[in-house]
Amino acid sequence: MIQKPRGTEDLIDLKVREYFALEMIIRNIVDSFNYNEIKTPIFESLELFKRGVGEETDIVSKEMYTFLDRKNRELTLRPEGTAPTVRAILENKMYINENLPLKLFYFGSMFRYERPQAGRNRQFNQFGVEVFGPKTSEIDCEIICLSSTILNTIGIDEYTIHLNYLVNGEQRITYIKDLKEYLKPKTLCDDCKKRVESNPLRVLDCKIDSKQFVDVIDMKDYLSQEDKKYFNQLVENLKNIGINAKIDKMLVRGLDYYTGFVYEIKDKNGSTLLGGGRYDELVNQLGNVDLPAAGFGIGIERLLIALAEEEIFISTPISLDAYIIGLSEKAKQFSNILLLMLRKSGLKVDFDYMNRSMKSAFKQSEKLNSKNIIIIGDNELKENVVVIKNQITKEEKKVAFDKIVDAIMGE
Ligand code: HAM
């Protein structure tokens, strides 16, 4: 039997219902924050991610699904949503002043060739938010608040917000020099030995080596006066709305575009649920337009795992208003008319298409959690009635065709 590719998942039964319930909750929240949806293609040119995410990042250097199309164009299944969103706002010239701030969100599948494990797949679904225009601690606060509102609303209360502020400009050069000095005497893994030269910040993020960096020099001490003020204001704004973030000098993020605050939210087991931050240079880098930006991305599957661990179910259980059983050929044929009439009235109804015996049709209606069973045979057809059995009160009655909707709605 052909099996699904490694690192992919079939969303079925309860899982797919939880998935869409989660999407609906997030959509409602993001709407109340006044964000608009954007849908970008699933594949983009390889160049976009090389320039956007950074050639030295793990994502671009070893995790992308890149292929040539029939005209030998180098294309990539998107590994993330920020670079495509930036490409789209540039290409569609969405950045004109009267559109700002541009507050956008997206849902979509992303692809990364990673070692699959719980919460880490090769195809996964992300919800992301990107805001273009303002560079203020208030909008940064809104972004963090939006992500924590999602967690609180679905009932994930135990989480930690890790927050840091990346050093920029002249100060960054000094910090990197000092960081390299700090790292020199350390015994590093093979990847990090290379990273020390190519991308030393990423060494701090290494799963293998990071334990030995507790005394690492603090980026905060290198920030310009202006950046320090901005960061303190952000922390203050968050406190004012009851959000306590843990300042984490080790937090650097795995994508190269960040230029200001960065954050991740981890659940009580330390698994990262979401991450994001400010990236003020990316739009300029990709399209020569000066446009500050910030955002975050959540792995939907990670939220589903966190919900399942807490035994929180957010989807509504399966239920029907009525399940119809036809006892004769003629009654079965009549079912299409009856189903259409009931569905047009907004009722959720289904029919025993498998021609089960009466006993198993009743069992099936229980499985489907149907509030009523409608039985129809030749005698009922002749009298223009059906038999409705209320599964809650166990009451059974004959109802005229034109009174069926009322009888079911009146329950
Ligand atoms: P990221 O940290 O690479 O950031 O991914 C964001 C979230 O996507 C992660 O926290 C995680 O929940 C989920 N995720 C990432 N990789 C996987 C995977 N292999 N399997 C399952 N879930 C995964 C970004 O992608 C940035 N674009 C976020 C951002 C938006 N920053 C600014 N704007």
Side-chain angles (χ1 to χ4, degrees), residues 274-291:
L274 62 95
R278 176 156 285 284
Y279 51 97
D280 291 334
E281 305 299 330
L282 186 59
V283 187
N284 209 343
Q285 229 167 284
L286 293 176
N288 293 322
V289 174
D290 207 9
L291 194 64

Side-chain angles (χ1 to χ4, degrees), residues 353-371:
Y353 285 110
M354 295 307 292
N355 288 328
R356 290 185 164 87
S357 69
M358 191 70 140
K359 198 173 157 205
S360 22
F362 267 63
K363 263 208 180 131
Q364 185 65 9
S365 88
E366 266 167 37
K367 193 178 154 208
L368 296 171
N369 213 0
S370 188
K371 293 181 199 112

Side-chain angles (χ1 to χ4, degrees), residues 113-132:
Y113 193 87
E114 295 198 79
R115 186 193 289 266
Q117 49 185 281
R120 192 172 292 284
N121 267 337
R122 292 184 174 169
Q123 178 178 352
F124 60 98
N125 290 286
Q126 233 188 32
F127 162 74
V129 150
E130 315 291 350
V131 180
F132 299 92

Side-chain angles (χ1 to χ4, degrees), residues 172-190:
R172 190 180 173 95
I173 298 166
T174 318
Y175 170 79
I176 299 257
K177 195 171 129 265
D178 291 356
L179 180 63
K180 282 185 180 171
E181 278 303 310
Y182 167 84
L183 293 171
K184 229 182 213 168
K186 307 276 180 200
T187 316
L188 302 174
C189 72
D190 288 346

Side-chain angles (χ1 to χ4, degrees), residues 105-381:
F105 77 90
Y106 49 83
F107 280 95
S109 291
M110 309 290 161
F111 305 84
R112 296 184 191 175
Y113 193 87
E114 295 198 79
R115 186 193 289 266
Q117 49 185 281
R120 192 172 292 284
N121 267 337
R122 292 184 174 169
Q123 178 178 352
F124 60 98
N125 290 286
Q126 233 188 32
F127 162 74
V129 150
E130 315 291 350
V131 180
F132 299 92
K135 181 185 179 172
T136 66
S137 58
E138 289 76 35
I139 192 71
D140 296 353
C141 176
E142 170 172 301
I143 288 169
I144 297 174
C145 173
L146 169 52
S147 54
S148 66
T149 302
I150 291 172
L151 300 181
N152 299 340
T153 307
I154 60 177
I156 298 174
D157 305 317
E158 278 187 71
Y159 58 80
T160 315
I161 304 177
H162 294 250
L163 183 66
N164 198 9
Y165 198 99
L166 298 184
V167 57
N168 289 303
E170 295 269 305
Q171 287 84 357
R172 190 180 173 95
I173 298 166
T174 318
Y175 170 79
I176 299 257
K177 195 171 129 265
D178 291 356
L179 180 63
K180 282 185 180 171
E181 278 303 310
Y182 167 84
L183 293 171
K184 229 182 213 168
K186 307 276 180 200
T187 316
L188 302 174
C189 72
D190 288 346
D191 273 349
C192 283
K193 276 182 197 148
K194 286 180 221 143
R195 281 185 194 131
V196 170
E197 280 316 310
S198 61
N199 200 350
L201 277 182
R202 287 284 289 134
V203 177
L204 300 182
D205 202 29
C206 174
K207 301 266 178 303
I208 306 164
D209 294 334
S210 62
K211 284 180 206 80
Q212 44 174 333
F213 304 144
V214 272
D215 62 342
V216 70
I217 50 170
D218 195 337
M219 242 183 265
K220 229 170 37 276
D221 301 332
Y222 290 76
L223 295 182
S224 67
Q225 280 311 104
E226 203 186 327
D227 281 351
K228 245 182 216 159
K229 196 170 156 223
Y230 188 108
F231 190 33
N232 289 338
Q233 189 60 57
L234 171 59
V235 174
E236 184 71 24
N237 291 351
L238 289 169
K239 273 201 185 126
N240 289 342
I241 55 166
I243 295 179
N244 281 315
K246 180 178 177 230
I247 311 295
D248 182 348
K249 62 180 177 180
M250 304 271 283
L251 182 69
V252 288
R253 306 274 300 135
L255 305 99
D256 277 355
Y257 45 64
Y258 295 108
T259 55
F261 86 96
V262 283
Y263 81 113
E264 284 183 357
I265 300 189
K266 295 181 195 286
D267 69 10
K268 61 179 185 196
N269 306 317
S271 157
T272 306
L273 298 172
L274 62 95
R278 176 156 285 284
Y279 51 97
D280 291 334
E281 305 299 330
L282 186 59
V283 187
N284 209 343
Q285 229 167 284
L286 293 176
N288 293 322
V289 174
D290 207 9
L291 194 64
F296 73 86
I298 300 188
I300 299 287
E301 287 82 356
R302 296 223 181 143
L303 289 190
L304 290 176
I305 292 173
L307 284 171
E309 272 172 8
E310 297 295 320
E311 294 188 26
I312 299 172
F313 298 100
I314 52 174
S315 58
T316 39
I318 292 177
S319 75
L320 283 181
D321 291 308
Y323 186 69
I324 305 171
I325 303 172
L327 300 181
S328 68
E329 273 316 302
K330 265 196 178 159
K332 281 174 189 145
Q333 282 158 15
F334 180 68
S335 70
N336 286 130
I337 299 168
L338 194 53
L339 284 164
L340 184 64
M341 180 181 88
L342 298 182
R343 285 170 181 161
K344 268 189 176 168
S345 309
L347 293 170
K348 188 173 169 186
V349 292
D350 210 343
F351 179 70
D352 168 37
Y353 285 110
M354 295 307 292
N355 288 328
R356 290 185 164 87
S357 69
M358 191 70 140
K359 198 173 157 205
S360 22
F362 267 63
K363 263 208 180 131
Q364 185 65 9
S365 88
E366 266 167 37
K367 193 178 154 208
L368 296 171
N369 213 0
S370 188
K371 293 181 199 112
N372 296 280
I373 298 177
I374 299 180
I375 304 161
I376 178 160
D378 284 344
N379 289 343
E380 285 76 21
L381 268 184

